[in-house]
Amino acid sequence: MSASRRRDEHIKMTAPIPEAPSDFIREIVQEDLRNGRYGGRVVTRFPPEPNGYLHIGHAKAVCVDFGVAMEFGGVCHLRMDDTNPAKESMEFVEAIRRDVRWLGFDWGPHFYFSADYFERMYECAVQLIRKRLAYVCDVPQEEWKHYRGIPTQPGKPSPYRNRSVEENLDLFARMRAGEFPDGARCLRALIDMASPNLHLRDPVLYRILRMPHYRTGDRWCIYPTYDFAHPLEDAFEGITHSLCTLEFEVHRPLYDWLLQALEFPEPPRQIEFARLNVSYTVLSKRRLLELVQGGFVNGWDDPRLPTIAGLRRRGYTPSAIREFCRRVGVTKFDGLTDMALLDFCIRDELNMTAPRAMAVLDPVRLVIENYPDGQVEEFEAVNNPEDASMGVRPVPFCKTLYVEREDFEEHPPKNFFRLVPGREVRLRYAYLVTCTGFERDPATGRVCEIRCRYDPASRGGNAPDGRRVKGTIHWVSAPHALEAEIRLYDRLFLVEEPDNVPDGVDFKSTLNPESLKTLRAMVEPSLASAAPGSRYQFERKGYFFADPIDSRPGRPVFNRIVPLRDSWAKQARNAND
Ligand code: ATP
Ligand code: MG
């Protein structure tokens, strides 16, 4: 029987229930809809703390939270989980909003700040005190671990556990009024000091902390803990499915306990999934902050960072990031994902959409000895072989060109089919040329000019007699070429899991010193009109993004998003050239 036929009549749906759920979260949501739980509503939330920029791991959570809501006709709230005054700021709030929107998601009117709930949270705490489910505790934080104990043995009750409701109400009010120093007292839930789950051994709900909050200023000197605040925020907003990462699984009994203790009629349910880990980078906000503040990278949008801002500046598209998240999927098992998967997604997309162009990243002059001085021809280059509707463009050709230094070898290795003295090669779209010689700079020994002769009968690059020419190389006309800055990126770290370096090792010592390489390239003249923020495939060299900030008219700056295939292995080799 189909899910839509089985669902109860009273369930209000704005979208059909998908027939085949693709993961366990969607299965649970579908089951709840079938059973009429939450009256058929699906309300999720994405709750970042505004203490840093979002990264690719958050993108996964965003795709899950917003994706599930959209698929089931629900809504997803964007909530700034700002109950901790330290390190939160409006800069981060704005960056988070920008990034979620850029990823393609819309929270409609449902944008919230947890700090707006402080008064209601305080009321909830008072309610718990009245129900004898919370008490003010004077045991200093450092001593509490002796009370809490270890999972296999019951803990020791706080000597303040039996305070009267009146005394607790009075002390809690005075905590709020600022009568006690920071850390002198806290409010604890009264749950179970023998529970094998340490989170249920009278966890802290409120602590005294004199620290101005970026939104509430110094109105408060007590702040709720995450464990207390989060379920309340979810319940206040009518969240149905609170999707979070696996580390919160052990907090779920406390989440449920609080909502039950406060008698919320339709408490949200928390469902955990595995967080995204990506190799050769860090996803901890603390470490990202350290890299940015310490100047190890050029700001939050450094294209080497796994931040959404960095990925955007590098040239990745929101659709490629969403496709990456879809392919990563939702599971209960932590794994390590290779960035190569994101590269695959962006290549797959740009192959269809990016216009081609010729750019010589490491230029060396090629002179065609028998080509008439001063003659200029124009060849037609195809803008995208995958999409004829993208048309063609003219590229000028003359006696002096630039070609890639690596496309010439005096003593070629096996399987080298490019420029070699005495051999013939095809200049893409133009002519067949045979290398006749080359010159080295006497000072450096580097090849500074290559010479060749062309076959005038091979116009367009086809041999008149059908002779076979294996190699094809790209080129630009030297007098017409435009100089461009090119930025090549490599992985930011040398080790697979820089987040997991052994104790005593500074993760920054594993940074890759060659993660950024800047080149002065010669590119075809049509790129003078490259709009900042546009993407190209430079033939044989990869996909590039006209940097939206540093590009100038007539002086473009291109970030390499990704090489054409097999990104890392090939890049590592190039870096060693
Ligand atoms: P920190 O780095 O300080 O631990 P955080 O990454 O958990 O912080 P939050 O702002 O609390 O940052 O995250 C917001 C949401 O994004 C949370 O629901 C969290 O579970 C989710 N999230 C964070 N990191 C990842 C990740 N690597 N993969 C999937 N989801 C993540
Ligand atoms: Mg967190």
Side-chain angles (χ1 to χ4, degrees):
M1 201 201 287
S2 85
S4 48
R5 253 183 290 141
R6 230 201 277 166
R7 75 188 148 96
D8 294 342
E9 276 312 296
H10 71 271
I11 298 179
K12 186 178 136 281
M13 292 292 299
T14 52
I17 301 174
E19 292 289 324
S22 48
D23 58 62
F24 74 93
I25 292 182
R26 288 167 167 91
E27 217 161 87
I28 291 172
V29 172
Q30 191 176 75
E31 191 59 32
D32 285 347
L33 286 173
R34 276 198 205 114
N35 296 333
R37 198 165 167 182
Y38 304 117
R41 288 179 310 120
V42 176
V43 186
T44 61
R45 85 287 172 267
F46 174 61
E49 183 179 356
N51 63 350
Y53 276 56
L54 299 186
H55 53 61
I56 184 90
H58 293 113
K60 172 179 174 176
V62 167
C63 288
V64 173
D65 297 333
F66 281 88
V68 165
M70 280 163 64
E71 283 163 47
F72 291 96
V75 291
C76 180
H77 297 185
L78 178 61
R79 181 198 309 150
M80 298 300 120
D81 204 348
D82 55 1
T83 54
N84 178 0
K87 302 185 202 134
E88 295 172 351
S89 78
M90 273 321 276
E91 179 203 346
F92 296 135
V93 171
E94 288 311 325
I96 290 167
R97 290 168 56 95
R98 183 163 62 237
D99 290 349
V100 174
R101 209 176 289 127
W102 181 76
L103 281 172
F105 298 101
D106 181 9
W107 51 87
H110 300 288
F111 177 73
Y112 304 104
F113 290 99
S114 300
D116 288 349
Y117 306 134
F118 278 166
E119 196 61 53
R120 278 172 91 182
M121 290 175 182
Y122 181 84
E123 290 306 319
C124 287
V126 168
Q127 234 177 296
L128 288 179
I129 294 173
R130 288 193 203 284
K131 291 180 156 209
R132 297 188 172 279
L133 292 174
Y135 63 96
V136 173
C137 177
D138 305 356
V139 174
Q141 191 54 39
E142 328 69 84
E143 269 174 48
W144 178 251
K145 59 177 180 293
H146 304 302
Y147 287 84
R148 194 182 51 187
I150 55 172
T152 48
Q153 284 166 24
K156 198 168 68 169
S158 160
Y160 307 97
R161 215 171 188 242
N162 298 319
R163 275 181 165 149
S164 69
V165 169
E166 289 65 37
E167 188 183 1
N168 279 320
L169 286 174
D170 173 61
L171 286 173
F172 189 49
R174 287 164 61 196
M175 275 171 64
R176 175 180 182 167
E179 289 191 24
F180 312 117
D182 286 8
R185 295 193 152 107
C186 67
L187 185 75
R188 291 188 183 281
L190 194 157
I191 310 183
D192 179 4
M193 289 305 290
S195 170
N197 183 336
L198 295 183
H199 297 284
L200 293 180
R201 294 190 182 178
D202 292 8
V204 177
L205 306 182
Y206 267 93
R207 56 201 190 291
I208 305 175
L209 183 61
R210 280 173 184 74
M211 188 179 278
H213 184 279
Y214 77 108
R215 296 197 69 243
T216 58
D218 42 21
R219 216 172 312 150
W220 292 87
C221 65
I222 56 172
Y223 289 98
T225 56
Y226 177 89
D227 277 336
F228 180 61
H230 206 83
L232 295 183
E233 296 156 11
D234 284 349
F236 294 159
E237 291 177 14
I239 300 298
T240 57
H241 300 83
S242 180
L243 313 177
C244 63
T245 34
L246 280 179
E247 68 269 25
F248 295 108
E249 197 165 19
V250 286
H251 298 246
R252 183 170 6 113
L254 175 55
Y255 183 99
D256 292 339
W257 182 91
L258 275 162
L259 294 181
Q260 208 194 338
L262 289 162
E263 296 173 61
F264 283 97
E266 272 190 318
R269 63 188 289 185
Q270 177 181 302
I271 308 167
E272 309 85 13
F273 62 92
R275 61 196 296 127
L276 175 72
N277 301 300
V278 178
S279 52
Y280 296 98
T281 193
V282 291
L283 292 183
S284 130
K285 281 190 193 161
R286 184 173 54 78
R287 290 197 159 146
L288 290 169
L289 188 72
E290 204 177 326
L291 293 177
V292 172
Q293 289 185 338
F296 296 93
V297 292
N298 305 316
W300 285 104
D301 66 347
D302 187 300
R304 292 166 294 180
L305 286 179
T307 52
I308 303 302
L311 297 172
R312 175 170 57 230
R313 180 88 186 262
R314 172 92 160 242
Y316 287 99
T317 58
S319 43
I321 296 172
R322 290 196 304 265
E323 175 62 11
F324 167 79
C325 293
R326 194 187 68 77
R327 283 170 182 271
V328 166
V330 180
T331 69
K332 278 274 188 192
F333 306 100
D334 273 320
L336 189 62
T337 301
D338 195 325
M339 223 24 152
L341 182 60
L342 180 58
D343 292 347
F344 169 85
C345 296
I346 189 74
R347 277 190 205 107
D348 207 41
E349 177 179 324
L350 294 182
N351 179 42
M352 304 307 294
T353 58
R356 273 51 170 174
M358 292 200 282
V360 177
L361 305 196
D362 184 9
V364 61
R365 233 142 39 109
L366 177 73
V367 179
I368 307 170
E369 292 167 333
N370 58 336
Y371 195 85
D373 286 334
Q375 177 172 308
V376 176
E377 283 181 82
E378 271 190 351
F379 290 101
E380 235 177 35
V382 175
N383 284 334
N384 189 339
E386 304 287 339
D387 182 356
S389 74
M390 289 172 71
V392 294
R393 67 188 185 284
V395 271
F397 181 90
C398 68
K399 188 183 179 79
T400 310
L401 311 173
Y402 288 116
V403 296
E404 295 287 352
R405 182 174 299 280
E406 65 174 18
D407 282 339
F408 173 80
E409 286 284 353
E410 184 182 5
H411 304 292
K414 242 182 102 187
N415 295 327
F416 185 91
F417 301 110
R418 293 166 273 165
L419 281 166
V420 175
R423 283 203 208 157
E424 192 169 44
V425 72
R426 178 179 301 104
L427 297 176
R428 177 97 158 133
Y429 299 118
Y431 286 108
L432 300 176
V433 295
T434 302
C435 179
T436 52
F438 65 97
E439 264 170 42
R440 288 186 190 278
D441 179 331
T444 62
R446 264 162 60 102
V447 173
C448 57
E449 184 173 298
I450 303 164
R451 285 190 305 277
C452 65
R453 295 178 68 79
Y454 83 120
D455 177 355
S458 67
R459 197 169 195 281
N462 304 309
D465 55 359
R467 67 180 183 272
R468 204 148 162 256
V469 176
K470 246 186 162 170
T472 301
I473 63 174
H474 63 280
W475 50 271
V476 294
S477 162
H480 300 94
L482 177 74
E483 196 180 298
E485 180 178 323
I486 301 259
R487 297 169 183 167
L488 301 182
Y489 304 103
D490 197 355
R491 41 172 63 139
L492 186 52
F493 289 89
L494 295 167
V495 299
E496 208 172 33
E497 295 183 75
D499 261 333
N500 281 337
V501 291
D503 282 350
V505 176
D506 179 356
F507 80 102
K508 298 193 296 308
S509 71
T510 67
L511 277 164
N512 176 5
E514 306 202 347
S515 56
L516 169 62
K517 217 166 144 183
T518 303
L519 308 174
R520 307 181 81 180
M522 289 301 201
V523 303
E524 64 170 73
S526 73
L527 291 171
S529 60
S534 53
R535 298 175 180 84
Y536 293 88
Q537 184 197 100
F538 290 166
E539 299 211 29
R540 302 174 61 218
K541 290 290 147 189
Y543 292 101
F544 290 76
F545 182 58
D547 191 277
I549 293 170
D550 296 336
S551 281
R552 295 280 169 272
R555 181 72 164 80
V557 175
F558 291 103
N559 302 328
R560 180 156 69 181
I561 309 168
V562 64
L564 281 186
R565 266 184 312 274
D566 178 32
S567 58
W568 299 119
K570 211 159 136 197
Q571 244 177 297
R573 251 182 279 129
N574 290 345
N576 294 335
D577 283 351

